Structure formats: C-alpha cells, structure tokens
Amino acid sequence: MKVFKKIASSLIALVLLFSLSSNAFAKGEGEQTFEKITVTDEELDRAIEQALQMKLATIADEEERKDMELALRGNLATIEMPDLSDENVIMPLFDLGDIWTPNLPDIHLQNKYVKASIDVILDAILLSLGVGTIAVALKKYGAKELARMFTSSIKTKILGKAAIALGISLPVLADFVVSVLDPAEKITNYIDSKDAKPKNGYFDVIW
C-alpha cells in the first residue's frame, strides 16, 4: 500500500512538473514576436529591377540573355496579357471580373521562364527586406508574414488572372517558399501540373 502511495505521489509530482514546464514553454512561444513587412509597391518594383539585372548577369550567352529579358519584362510582368506581336492590336484593360473574356490571349510559356520569374520575385522580396536569405527572413518576419508577402507578389506580379482562372492555390505556393530547397522549381512544376495541359513543360492557359 505504501509502495502504491509512493508511486502515485511520484506520478502526481511528475504530472505537475510537466504541466508547469509545458505552460512555461507555451508562454515563451506565445511571446515570440515578428516584425511586420512594410515594403511599398515602389520599393518592391525597384527590388524586382535589381533582382532582374542580377538574374540576367548570370547568363553568359547574349541571345539567351536577350530572350530571358524579353520574357521577364514582357510576358511575365503581366502574364495574364502577354505582349502581342502585332503592334496594331490594341488590348483593352480588364479587371478581375473580366477574366473569362474571350479577348484575352492564350498563354503558352516555357517553364524555364516561369521559374526565372519566380526566382526574380523571391530575390526581390529578400532584397526589399534587406535580408540575404529566406532563413533570415523567417527569423525576422515569421513564416506567416513572409508567405503573405510572397502570395501577394506572385499573384500581382506573375500569375495575375491566370491564377484565378486555373484555380491555383496561392497559399500552397507560399508554403513551398518556406519548406523546400528550390521553391521556384517546385512552384513551377506545381503550376505546370495544374494548367490547361498538365506536365508538358509549359505554362498553358486557354481562356
């Protein structure tokens, strides 16, 4: 009986100790605060230009560099309305309510350009935040805030109306940023798997 009481007392003491330590740990976690990202559109645009130049500087072949710049500046800047070859064609402006309009041109863009664009956006975000790596950004701003920034940027700067039309999950894209080694590659493959012609090496949108 005495042995049972000792065991019971020991178990109660352990439970209380665990309870106190858990509360202290939870409190410590709850007190952890992150800075809020306050980057303006103008700051992000400047950072995008800087990141774009850095990306182009890594391409030795002149023709390849020109093709990449054309894709990034033209098509990927507003991927929902790529540049048209006919200069006489005037494209009207569309709001989000007009995403099903038949006047939007279809998109057929190689994955390498999509990946490069995502790389530029991610690098631009890090530049605009004044941090060198995703790890530093996570420590300073937290995964939720960084994901919010990336989601907003990729929606407005890369996918635009195409993301809405294809039903691509933007939170999923943001999760890739903080969970994989090469987020741009992962995101590009994810987009390609969800587009009009899945897994063909191109980003395809047929309106």
Side-chain angles (χ1 to χ4, degrees), residues 2-198:
K2 289 182 179 180
V3 174
F4 177 79
K5 286 183 178 180
K6 285 184 179 180
I7 293 174
S9 298
S10 298
L11 287 174
I12 292 171
L14 285 172
V15 169
L16 289 172
L17 180 61
F18 179 78
S19 177
L20 290 172
S21 61
S22 297
N23 289 337
F25 179 80
K27 184 179 179 182
E29 283 293 294
E31 289 175 351
Q32 187 177 15
T33 57
F34 298 104
E35 294 183 34
K36 187 172 179 61
I37 295 175
T38 56
V39 175
T40 66
D41 289 339
E42 291 75 16
E43 289 171 336
L44 181 59
D45 287 340
R46 286 196 297 270
I48 289 174
E49 178 62 29
Q50 185 180 349
L52 172 60
Q53 293 301 330
M54 291 167 57
K55 182 73 175 178
L56 295 174
T58 65
I59 304 174
D61 184 79
E62 184 177 355
E63 287 302 314
E64 184 182 350
R65 187 168 60 249
K66 286 180 179 178
D67 288 344
M68 182 64 73
E69 181 168 12
L70 178 63
L72 291 174
R73 289 194 184 282
N75 295 27
L76 294 182
T78 52
I79 200 169
E80 72 275 15
M81 286 191 288
D83 291 342
L84 300 179
S85 57
D86 188 350
E87 295 179 354
N88 296 321
V89 176
I90 300 176
M91 290 294 294
L93 296 177
F94 299 98
D95 59 31
L96 293 179
D98 297 320
I99 63 172
W100 300 114
T101 177
N103 295 321
L104 282 175
D106 293 337
I107 298 170
H108 181 68
L109 192 63
Q110 277 186 283
N111 281 355
K112 70 175 182 178
Y113 296 129
V114 179
K115 180 181 185 300
S117 180
I118 294 170
D119 271 330
V120 166
I121 288 293
L122 186 55
D123 288 342
I125 290 173
L126 297 178
L127 286 169
S128 66
L129 295 176
V131 297
T133 64
I134 293 176
V136 175
L138 286 171
K139 186 175 181 180
K140 189 173 183 180
Y141 299 101
K144 185 176 181 179
E145 185 71 356
L146 187 62
R148 180 193 65 78
M149 175 71 173
F150 182 76
T151 297
S152 174
S153 300
I154 198 172
K155 179 179 178 181
T156 57
K157 303 295 184 181
I158 301 179
L159 296 180
K161 299 177 183 70
I164 301 171
L166 296 175
I168 292 173
S169 173
L170 293 173
V172 168
L173 303 187
D175 286 344
F176 289 146
V177 175
V178 298
S179 63
V180 298
L181 186 62
D182 187 353
E185 179 76 21
K186 183 74 173 179
I187 291 167
T188 301
N189 291 337
Y190 173 79
I191 292 171
D192 187 20
S193 73
K194 300 293 183 181
D195 65 11
K197 298 178 181 179

